[in-house]
């Protein structure tokens, strides 16, 4: 007999089907709850206990620190695959054959020339504009330049929209950086690999020959693979929700960029470095900041710590921490924030406040230190996260559309005024 979930309400028993996932996670299907109970709904701010969809893309085990994409462990993928190979896996479900990869890469390269008129939009921004705001706007503008991708129906159209945004997004990100940096904008060079191209567009100046640093390239490839997908996080859920109205892939990704920008989400990698620098500037008193983070009356949080799912460790943080020393020493970089970060982690993890709440370093805690060693400016850290997360957003949007998911529209519990009569201004 298949399992059921039941609850009693006002003397009546209601039963709901239970579904077991391939990793033995359990869900109670409450699709019929409101209809069978005469209007009862569940309440779950932040959706901490609520599944929004079934997905085959990424599996996380927060207790065991497991992250797999389509069944492959993140530890293997970062070591053995390229960024685009992992992107293909996440989007299409299988690691590509040589031929499939060659076609995928070639189709992306067909789309790396961005319409020159995009620069008119860039010109409208002040140089001080945060690159994430610029990137979100430029991504949304792709729909204006490619109206044919507004509402894709066929798999072929979807594939073309996917290779279009994979081709253009890194260019737009690099242009956002060039604008912020006051430097000329570079065009893609299709003789380079995907990540190498992105680095070249960010760093090449017309007055010098550009040469890729292999240490930087390897570190960046590993970092961005680690960021590719993370099941139903805030920005991915945003992409799914916006896409559920059949808004275009580009408009949905633009919304995802905006959601990622927040300091509680992808913006944390910038906030971590700013926090570490504040601690150094304040004299390096780690205990003072740990106490601030524990003080309920102090809005200060330990940025880069804590996670909605990981309650033991974030496997990505372990990989990044492991690489940080090697990358910095290979580049001959010493960064005082790394020492402070390690000390902060050590003190926090021995403090009952963090242990009780299962707060550990997350993906953002060490990533900024590597980005900085690679010469990425702090305002671009979250843009790097967005470039890394793009394949995941695409894959989740595609899965949502291919599964014909209904438009997302949560209910609410109304707590406002009950019906009252209008008062004329003379009576107020
Ligand atoms: C990402 O979801 C994903 O997968 C996201 C991500 C991805 O790949 O997409 O992994 C990327 O966004 C990583 C998270 C980056 N954000 C930060 O580092 C910001 C700092 N972290 C927190 O704001 C917080 O931990 C969250 C947002 C990450 C998670 O918040 P939750 O799950 O809603 O937990 P909560 O806010 O309810 O906190 C539970 C308790 C509270 O204390 P009590 O009220 O129980 O006493 O833990 C405390 C919180 O005050 N707490 C912290 C803390 N994080 C949680 N206290 C101090 N410092 C912190 N960082």
């Amino acid at each position: 007999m298949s399992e059921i979930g039941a609850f009693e309400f006002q003397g009546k028993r209601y039963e709901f089907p239970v579904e077991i996932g391939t990793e033995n996670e359990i869900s109670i299907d409450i699709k019929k709850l409101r209809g069978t109970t005469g209007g009862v709904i569940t309440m779950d701010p932040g959706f901490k206990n609520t599944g929004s969809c079934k997905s085959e893309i990424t599996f996380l085990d927060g207790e065991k620190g497991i992250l797999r994409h389509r069944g492959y462990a993140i530890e293997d993928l970062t070591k053995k695959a390229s960024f685009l190979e992992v992107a293909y896996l996440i989007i299409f479900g299988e690691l590509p054959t040589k031929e499939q990869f060659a076609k995928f890469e070639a189709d992306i390269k067909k789309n790396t020339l961005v319409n020159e008129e995009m620069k008119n939009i860039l010109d409208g921004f002040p140089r001080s504009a945060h690159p994430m705001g610029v990137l979100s706007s430029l991504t949304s503008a792709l729909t204006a330049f490619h109206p044919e991708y507004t509402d894709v129906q066929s798999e072929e159209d979807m594939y073309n929209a996917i290779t279009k945004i994979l081709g253009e997004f890194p260019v737009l990100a690099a242009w956002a950086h060039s604008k912020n940096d006051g430097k000329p904008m570079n065009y893609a060079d299709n003789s380079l690999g995907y990540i190498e191209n992105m680095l070249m567009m960010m760093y090449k100046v017309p007055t010098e020959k550009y040469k890729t640093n292999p240490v930087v390239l390897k570190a960046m490839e590993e970092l961005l693979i680690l960021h590719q997908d993370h099941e139903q996080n805030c920005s991915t859920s945003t992409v799914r929700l916006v896409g559920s109205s059949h808004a275009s892939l580009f408009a949905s990704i633009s919304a995802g960029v905006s959601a990622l920008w927040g300091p509680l989400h992808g913006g944390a990698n910038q906030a971590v470095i700013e926090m570490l620098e504040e601690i150094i500037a304040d004299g390096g008193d780690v205990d003072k900041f740990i106490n601030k983070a524990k003080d309920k009356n102090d809005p200060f949080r330990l940025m880069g710590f804590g996670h909605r799912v990981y309650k033991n460790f974030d496997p990505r943080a372990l990989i990044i921490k492991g690489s940080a020393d090697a990358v910095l020493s290979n580049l001959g970089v010493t960064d005082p924030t790394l020492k402070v970060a390690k000390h902060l982690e050590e003190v926090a993890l021995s403090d009952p406040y963090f242990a009780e709440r299962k707060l550990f370093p997350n993906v953002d805690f060490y990533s900024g230190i590597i980005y900085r060693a690679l010469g990425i400016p702090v305002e671009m850290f979250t843009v790097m996260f967005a470039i890394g997360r793009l394949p995941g957003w695409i894959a989740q949007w595609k899965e949502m559309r291919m599964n014909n998911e209904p438009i997302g529209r949560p209910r609410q519990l109304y707590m406002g005024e009950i019906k009252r009569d209008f008062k004329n201004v003379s009576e107020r």
Side-chain angles (χ1 to χ4, degrees):
M1 176 197 154
S2 71
E3 299 278 336
I4 51 141
F7 83 109
E8 305 256 336
F9 178 64
Q10 290 177 342
K12 231 178 135 203
R13 176 181 166 84
Y14 298 90
E15 297 186 347
F16 300 95
V18 165
E19 187 153 12
I20 315 282
T22 52
E23 289 281 355
N24 299 316
E25 297 165 304
I26 301 166
S27 78
I28 297 178
D29 180 339
I30 57 165
K31 270 201 287 294
K32 294 195 167 52
L33 172 68
R34 199 167 181 282
T36 53
T37 59
V40 172
I41 62 167
T42 59
M43 185 56 65
D44 187 22
F47 312 115
K48 297 189 176 185
N49 307 282
T50 298
S52 61
C53 62
K54 295 176 196 168
S55 179
E56 300 176 7
I57 301 169
T58 291
F59 170 66
L60 304 183
D61 182 320
E63 278 60 41
K64 298 185 189 132
I66 292 173
L67 167 53
R68 295 195 203 112
H69 295 312
R70 306 283 189 179
Y72 294 97
I74 191 63
E75 293 79 6
D76 283 346
L77 293 173
T78 42
K79 275 198 217 93
K80 300 172 184 168
S82 71
F83 179 85
L84 269 194
E85 262 183 304
V86 180
Y88 187 99
L89 168 70
I90 282 180
I91 295 169
F92 301 108
E94 294 295 341
L95 285 166
T97 62
K98 220 156 145 254
E99 296 70 28
Q100 286 168 332
F101 182 79
K103 179 182 184 314
F104 183 53
E105 187 178 38
D107 290 341
I108 291 169
K109 289 187 172 183
K110 282 181 201 149
N111 290 293
T112 54
L113 187 61
V114 173
N115 189 308
E116 278 296 300
E117 287 182 287
M118 270 284 193
K119 291 183 177 177
N120 301 336
I121 302 172
L122 267 163
D123 291 343
F125 283 98
R127 192 176 145 192
S128 58
H130 194 290
M132 281 296 276
V134 175
L135 180 60
S136 176
S137 307
L138 293 179
T139 305
S140 182
L142 284 176
T143 309
F145 287 92
H146 305 289
E148 68 278 20
Y149 293 118
T150 303
D151 187 7
V152 296
Q153 295 298 337
S154 70
E155 277 208 53
E156 190 200 350
D157 287 349
M158 203 173 275
Y159 178 82
N160 293 334
I162 288 169
T163 49
K164 171 68 70 181
I165 193 162
L166 279 167
E168 299 211 18
F169 196 77
V171 184
L172 300 178
W175 283 8
H177 168 56
S178 305
K179 166 86 190 178
N180 191 254
D181 209 25
K183 293 231 178 52
M185 291 164 201
N186 288 304
Y187 295 96
D189 170 352
N190 284 340
S191 68
L192 303 177
Y194 193 80
I195 302 299
E196 191 177 9
N197 215 349
M198 185 269 297
L199 289 169
M200 178 279 292
M201 288 187 284
M202 277 185 61
Y203 289 117
K204 184 173 180 296
V205 289
T207 50
E208 310 280 339
K209 264 188 94 44
Y210 178 79
K211 197 171 168 328
T212 305
N213 178 326
V215 175
V216 172
L217 177 58
K218 181 173 178 299
M220 188 56 81
E221 189 109 26
E222 177 183 282
L223 265 178
L224 296 187
I225 288 173
L226 285 169
H227 285 80
Q228 281 211 17
D229 189 58
H230 216 238
E231 57 131 282
Q232 305 313 314
N233 59 84
C234 177
S235 56
T236 299
S237 298
T238 301
V239 169
R240 276 182 171 258
L241 188 62
V242 170
S244 71
S245 72
H246 284 200
S248 76
L249 173 61
F250 305 151
S252 306
I253 300 283
S254 170
V257 173
S258 297
L260 186 72
W261 192 1
L264 295 187
H265 190 16
N269 58 16
Q270 174 173 345
V272 167
I273 284 290
E274 289 163 352
M275 172 187 75
L276 294 172
E277 286 180 335
E278 186 190 350
I279 294 173
I280 293 171
D282 185 75
D285 181 354
V286 162
D287 291 321
K288 172 182 167 186
F289 285 84
I290 293 276
N291 291 328
K292 279 169 63 68
K294 290 158 61 177
D295 178 357
K296 289 298 164 209
N297 300 318
D298 189 327
F300 175 81
R301 281 202 157 187
L302 213 47
M303 300 314 277
F305 257 73
H307 198 276
R308 175 63 56 77
V309 175
Y310 291 124
K311 298 304 173 193
N312 257 325
F313 59 91
D314 182 334
R316 302 168 298 175
L318 285 190
I319 295 171
I320 295 172
K321 181 182 177 185
S323 307
D325 286 314
V327 171
L328 269 68
S329 62
N330 281 348
L331 293 171
V333 168
T334 47
D335 184 339
T337 57
L338 181 56
K339 195 157 158 273
V340 173
K342 288 182 174 177
H343 183 201
L344 197 62
E345 178 184 3
E346 195 188 320
V347 173
L349 295 189
S350 59
D351 184 306
Y353 172 93
F354 294 88
E356 282 154 19
R357 292 168 179 78
K358 299 181 182 296
L359 303 176
F360 296 83
N362 59 47
V363 68
D364 293 311
F365 189 62
Y366 286 103
S367 55
I369 294 168
I370 296 188
Y371 284 140
R372 192 150 74 166
L374 302 183
I376 306 283
V378 67
E379 301 76 28
M380 284 293 286
F381 286 7
T382 313
V383 171
M384 293 296 108
F385 194 144
I387 292 173
R389 185 52 51 91
L390 179 61
W393 286 332
I394 291 170
Q396 299 273 353
W397 183 91
K398 177 172 176 286
E399 184 176 69
M400 175 274 302
R401 286 297 305 269
M402 303 290 279
N403 290 349
N404 292 310
E405 304 272 355
I407 184 168
R409 199 266 182 233
R411 302 307 299 255
Q412 64 164 26
L413 186 66
Y414 178 68
M415 301 297 282
E417 295 285 345
I418 56 173
K419 187 171 175 341
R420 50 184 174 162
D421 296 332
F422 183 79
K423 273 193 201 138
N424 289 322
V425 66
S426 57
E427 299 166 298
R428 293 172 205 159

